[in-house]
Amino acid sequence: MNSLARSLVFASFATVGACTAVQAQSQNIVKLGASRYTTHSSTSGINGIGVPAGADATTSDATTVILTYERLLTPNLGAELVLGIPPRIKAKATGSIAFLGDDVLSARNATPTLFLNYHFGAPGDVWRPYFGAGWNYTRFVGVRSSLAPDVKMSDSNGWAAQAGIAYALSPQWGVFASVARLDVKSKIVASGSTVLTTTVDFKPVVYSFGASYEF
């Protein structure tokens, strides 16, 4: 075999090896799991004609199912979209209107979130911690209230951050756990015999766990 032929054979093997490496790094990760959506809310107070001073409310926690898709851009960097079944969040009257009860307002919140994740370690490691930062959009649907027939809640846009860890059961299957902090605020206007207004800062912390599949 002459030197030119040897060079072509070597170049061919090098090209195949490079393509294989790129393909191995171009991975997709799908996750299915459960999330506990915990709120640590505060409000601007409930305001309106005839509303006593000190009227306020707190919001409940909820559990839901999440589905995520992540595209690995490099062995350590990935873009992840997090979706879930909108859980119903309820509001409880507190302060001077506590007598109104535990379910004065409720709504489902759809919260698609986009993260840019950094995965520590290397592909093939059994344990891989990761950290992500991104953006959250929240839309409130199915709004109901016992205080007014017409209630509107504004949408929310804000930052999001998460930290998690993945454990590989096999080259494809694994499990994960994560915690995320979202910036979610909404202005509420309830119209009935009077008009009630408030702004809620939900300050949600979301705990998630489940199974993952890479392909």
Side-chain angles (χ1 to χ4, degrees):
M1 183 182 294
N2 60 37
S3 59
L4 178 59
R6 284 196 297 269
S7 297
L8 290 173
V9 171
F10 177 79
S12 297
F13 278 113
T15 302
V16 171
C19 291
T20 301
V22 170
Q23 290 173 356
Q25 294 172 10
S26 301
Q27 294 182 358
N28 304 283
I29 304 174
V30 175
K31 298 175 184 175
L32 179 66
S35 284
R36 182 64 176 172
Y37 189 96
T38 66
T39 65
H40 305 79
S41 62
S42 62
T43 80
S44 59
I46 299 176
N47 305 295
I49 297 175
V51 178
D56 210 341
T58 59
T59 56
S60 67
D61 304 335
T63 301
T64 189
V65 175
I66 62 165
L67 176 67
T68 82
Y69 169 73
E70 182 174 8
R71 174 68 176 180
L72 293 180
L73 308 174
T74 74
N76 297 95
L77 198 64
E80 181 180 33
L81 176 63
V82 182
L83 303 171
I85 298 174
R88 181 164 290 279
I89 306 297
K90 298 179 180 180
K92 173 184 177 180
T94 62
S96 60
I97 58 170
F99 63 90
L100 293 176
D102 293 345
D103 191 8
V104 294
L105 176 72
S106 70
R108 293 189 179 276
N109 59 327
T111 59
T113 306
L114 184 64
F115 288 108
L116 184 64
N117 294 327
Y118 182 82
H119 298 263
F120 297 89
D125 290 352
V126 175
W127 293 96
R128 293 199 72 185
Y130 59 91
F131 174 80
W135 198 254
N136 166 262
Y137 169 74
T138 297
R139 182 176 179 82
F140 296 92
V141 297
V143 182
R144 300 197 302 249
S145 175
S146 59
L147 302 181
D150 181 22
V151 182
K152 293 180 173 60
M153 297 182 67
S154 65
D155 299 345
S156 173
N157 285 278
W159 58 266
Q162 70 169 348
I165 190 164
Y167 177 76
L169 302 173
S170 74
Q172 286 78 41
W173 290 96
V175 292
F176 75 95
S178 68
V179 57
R181 172 70 165 87
L182 311 177
D183 178 30
V184 180
K185 300 180 179 72
S186 180
K187 181 177 181 180
I188 302 173
V189 178
S191 302
S193 56
T194 187
V195 177
L196 308 176
T197 62
T198 189
T199 297
V200 182
D201 185 352
F202 289 90
K203 304 174 187 174
V205 177
V206 186
Y207 302 90
S208 304
F209 68 93
S212 62
Y213 180 77
E214 297 188 20
F215 60 97

